[in-house]
Amino acid sequence: MTHLPLLSLVTFLPLAGAFLILVTRGDEKVVAQNARAIALWTALIDFAVSLVIWAEFDPSTAAFQFVEKARWVSIGGFTFTYHMGIDGISLFFITLTTLLTLISVVASWESITYRVKEYMLAFLVLETLMVGMFCALDFILFYLFFEGVLIPMFLIIGVWGGPNRIYAAFKFFLYTLLGAVLMLLAIIAIYFQTGTTDITVALHHSFPFGLQKWLWLAFFASFAVKLPMWPLHTWLPDAHVEAPTAGSVILAGVLLKMGGYGFLRFSLPMFPLASHYFTPLVFVLSAIAIVSTSLVALVQTDMKKLVAYSSVAHMGFVTMGAFALTVQSVTGSVIQMLSHGIVSAALFLIVGVVYDRLHTREIARYGGLVERMPVYALVFMVFTLAAVGLPGTSGFVGEFLVLIGTFKVSTPEATIGATAMFLGIAYMLYLYRRVIYGVITRGDLRAMRDLSFREKAVFAPLILVVLWLGIYPQSFLRPIEPSVAHLVHQVAAANAAAQVHEAKLF
Amino acid sequence: MALAPLALAVVFLPLAASAIAGLFARAIGDRGAQLVTCGAVIVSAAISIPLLREIVLSGGPHVVTIAQWMAVGRLDIAWSLRLDTLSGIMMATVTIVSATIHVYSIGYMAEDPSIPRFMSYLSLFTFFMLSLVTANNLVQLFFGWEGVGLLSYLLIGFWHERDSANAAAIKAFVVNRVGDFGFALGIFAVFLLFGSVNLPTIFAKAPEVAHSTIDFLGWQAPSLTLASILLFIGAMGKSAQIGLHTWLPDAMEGPTPVSALIHAATMVTAGVFMVVRLSPLFEYAPGALGLVAVVGGTTAIFAATIGMAQNDIKRVIAYSTCSQLGYMFFAAGVSAFAAGMFHLFTHAFFKALLFLGSGSVIHALGGEQDMRRMGGLWNKIPITYAMMWIGSLSLAGIPFFSGYYSKDAILAAAWASGTGVGRYAFSLGLFTAFMTAFYSWRLLFMTFHGRPRAGEDVMHHVHESPWVMLIPVFVLAAGATFAGYFMEKYFIGSESAAFWNGSIFVLPGHNTVAAARHVPLYIGLLPTFFALAGIAVAFVGYILQPELPARLAFRFRALYLLVLNKFYFDEAYDRLFVRSAFVMGDGLWKSGDGTVIDGLGPDGISAATRDLARQASRLQSGYVYHYAFVMLIGVVGLVTWYLVR
């Protein structure tokens, strides 16, 4: 194992890039070009660093790795430490973030034409915050990253977004802020309970059941908004519709995962009894999310809204799998998040491709694109299939593991979840048919160019990952499984102990 | 062992060919794509026969492991090939039929602008079908299952500028997925029961768990029956059994070679294959077997009834396929798995033959599919005419053609089973045999005999198909004629025990295939008699007295309309599921998300805040006497409070 502080490197490298962009001066055109180049190189190197982390990662243990710990600030009696580390659950979120940031930079190359410098800056700062969030092992640090993400995202939607961007940005901001405040209160409560803000300590602290419930709810408020769970999801379609393409990519690809990651990292291990207690609630909300948002997706007339609603349905699997708490379902939940990160990002890029050409997302405006854009049609088909979970794609592995694990715990929940098999395919194929198939009737559609080299370069790695995850998921499952198994056992043991305790009382 | 490389070649050659033809279409051109795909599949077919021989001789299932797929906790799934007689037979059938259809497509699709795409799809389909039949675990079976479903979707919608083709394609995929919903739950139930989804484990442990129950949606279900029924729902979707059959007739929107390969010979039989493959499971689930028999028998007669009234040549054959699949299922349902497989095998030949023959007719008539605009073609395309006769004779089960051996075996086994469901299936099957012969000869007479009803210019251009289309048809015709006679002793006859080598499992008391050899003579003769009667009735109605069918249709108008409109299944499903899904989606979106959630949530809160602010700002009116008045009230309030306290 190397002694380089790899996690700090992967986290703060983008910030260094952002600083470089900040100090570029000169003619607007030159600055824009330089900003793009700096962002590209920074994102590329950062992605490479995240690959090194994956390569160096020891898949045989559930313990935190690459740990960095240093005293950070001390004010009065409080000492805050800078504490970073990752395990199998967080590992691939870092890779996902660095990959999607790189993709976002390339995808925005031509479509962003004003304030390029600030745009690239925002993305690099965002990358630092996202990666840091997945590495942080100290509550203060985590909270800073977790909520800090809001600011660049708010700007990205509010400055580079569509016509109704102000409403969307504020809706997004208010929703997430509501959860954030409650989480902050919970973190303060945890501090008073444990006497430290160290997450690794809190993970092994047993909170009394009454407190667990309150803390669980406070964290839940924040994560359920981020994920988003039904009925806290209505910010998502609006935010996506108004966000620029790359904004949607990051929003769907990484930001939604922060909720799921939060459940796995905090809610389940720290509050095992409360998690058990609230599992029925989570199951009901997940089931509603899967069925109702699939139906809603069916009637959408805006491509981005359709994909946004499908995201909510897919996230329903994440919460279902996480709270079913079997090794298969929780692993599936992680894979589902990674898969959705790639697939939804790709679907938003796919919408972006035609939006760049025709400046509308109205499904009815399209039709017959396969005639002029066969490569585009193929790429669209691959991700459509991944989205509906066809075996051999990443979507299948996630959904299958979640469902097979959940079936052991609750047959009704798994049965309702499995309805996504035909609901999901209905809205995706209906979308595909309306956009890709049929006869071209309009002149502007006939003049559409197929994917450019740059666009192909954006999709190629995503297709590769989707197939890799689908055909040989072992590369990913192997590092994930020990951490997940550890988590499942920890929660089960806590609940078993509580039952023994209860039995002694009566 | 020499088996592994051979088997890998059979399975992966079509995949490689598909990738080459699909991705490098521009480099190799139409001709190149045809050569690569046809070549690969022909080689695959050529290898599959010695491979089958090798498998049968070497006995026992061999498993070729390729790679780990998913290993999480107890779940352990590998990519592998299971080689036993059952998969060997399926590999041979699939690759041989696929090879003939690849070659046929060269001629049939000659005018099409997207030849490489078509050939690539066909080969990819072949790959998925092979990975399905060689699966050693349920999840790989599911992989192949979904893969063939995908290719079915892509090929039905191949002519994507047609709206009807697109609609049929989506319908096929979605209805199949409804079945797959059951299949998936079945896999989960199996994993819950056995702690594994691998076939060897399941087969070994099935007797142990036979009497256990599991809780499913609050119902204490007998475990194996539940798992088997759930899996069978998947089979019903793929094999278009009653209730989930609506997609198959619409699937005829695809090019005819597709109908022959996917919707007749191979993919739609995957459901039957699955039940046979899982015979060690179904044998311990008598309730599930009974259901299989009833569904099969009912579908057989139901689809045949509809087939008698259709006017589209391909739809007649499609309903016939549906009906024949019913035969295969009720064979499985009475534990005559081997007879079901035998019919699957012969059916692949004669039904593909019928489809390719009808394809030649459609080709000759420049795309016409309506039999009411055909007629009088027999001397214009005599070879096709002869081939259609062979296919029909085999389908109707006329003695010494292939279909005769397999269909007779099924009916005899159903009778010999001696159970109530067996008798039910036998009697329905018998009437179905009559109907089968009737609609087959109705098709022959309407298409080839009588007065030509096509336009003058169309008739002028009628021509026999080129050799590239005829030779594959000859191969299939040979199969439809002789396969039954030569293979009977292996599938169900004296050599069957050595042939199957334990790849099909039947409980000792259930051996209906053996019992079928001892049924009374008249049971053996009845199906042939019914078939001949069907031909005779068709002869009367379409040659001797051509005005008779119209008169009958007029007399029994309600009944005729019911059958012609396929018992209104499509209309009912459209109302019940499709439209209501859209209505519900709309309601959940506009009322649910819009009015309720946003109204009470963010928009409501922001509106409330705005109102509150407006109310508050109204207090600051700027008039001194307002402020003075408020102050006065305050002072009065304070004083009162102090005094009263």
Side-chain angles (χ1 to χ4, degrees), chain B residues 184-200:
Chain B
L185 290 178
I187 296 177
F188 305 152
V190 164
F191 181 63
L192 183 63
L193 279 173
F194 297 96
S196 171
V197 291
N198 297 323
L199 298 182

Side-chain angles (χ1 to χ4, degrees), chain A residues 167 171 231 233-234 295 299-300 309 328 370 388 400 403 411-412 415 421 437-438 470-474 481, chain B residues 68-73 75 79 139 146 153 160-161 166 177 181 188 215 217 582 584-585 589 593 597-598 603:
Chain A
Y167 171 75
K171 200 172 179 183
H233 65 281
T234 58
L295 289 171
V299 297
Q300 296 306 308
Y309 272 108
Q328 287 89 17
V370 65
V388 302
F400 176 77
L403 288 173
T411 50
T415 306
M421 292 198 60
Y437 289 153
I471 294 168
Y472 193 69
Q474 278 305 103
E481 198 192 341
Chain B
Q68 185 86 279
W69 188 7
M70 287 181 254
V72 182
L75 186 72
W79 295 106
V139 185
E146 296 287 289
Y153 159 79
H160 48 67
E161 60 284 354
N166 290 327
R177 275 253 161 168
F181 163 73
F188 305 152
D215 176 75
L217 309 181
F582 276 90
M584 271 160 60
W589 180 36
D593 279 16
I597 298 176
D598 272 354
D603 291 353

Side-chain angles (χ1 to χ4, degrees), chain B residues 18-93:
Chain B
S18 165
I20 294 169
L23 298 177
F24 305 105
R26 214 168 294 167
I28 60 175
D30 289 357
R31 188 59 67 189
Q34 288 165 341
L35 283 178
V36 168
T37 52
C38 291
V41 179
I42 289 172
V43 171
S44 244
I47 300 174
S48 74
I49 295 166
L51 179 68
L52 171 64
R53 202 183 120 83
E54 207 44 43
I55 291 170
V56 171
L57 291 180
S58 62
H62 305 278
V63 177
V64 181
T65 306
I66 299 166
Q68 185 86 279
W69 188 7
M70 287 181 254
V72 182
R74 288 174 77 190
L75 186 72
D76 188 359
I77 305 169
W79 295 106
S80 54
L81 306 181
R82 181 186 174 91
L83 304 175
D84 58 9
T85 307
L86 186 58
S87 59
I89 275 288
M90 288 301 291
M91 285 164 89
T93 315

Side-chain angles (χ1 to χ4, degrees), chain B residues 397-414:
Chain B
I398 300 303
F400 315 120
F401 285 89
S402 292
Y404 162 75
Y405 295 96
S406 52
K407 190 182 285 185
D408 254 26
I410 290 176
L411 286 169

Side-chain angles (χ1 to χ4, degrees), chain A residues 368-387:
Chain A
L369 289 188
V370 65
E371 219 174 286
R372 291 285 143 182
M373 309 174 74
V375 180
Y376 177 71
L378 176 70
V379 170
F380 198 167
M381 178 47 74
V382 169
F383 289 107
T384 297
L385 297 176

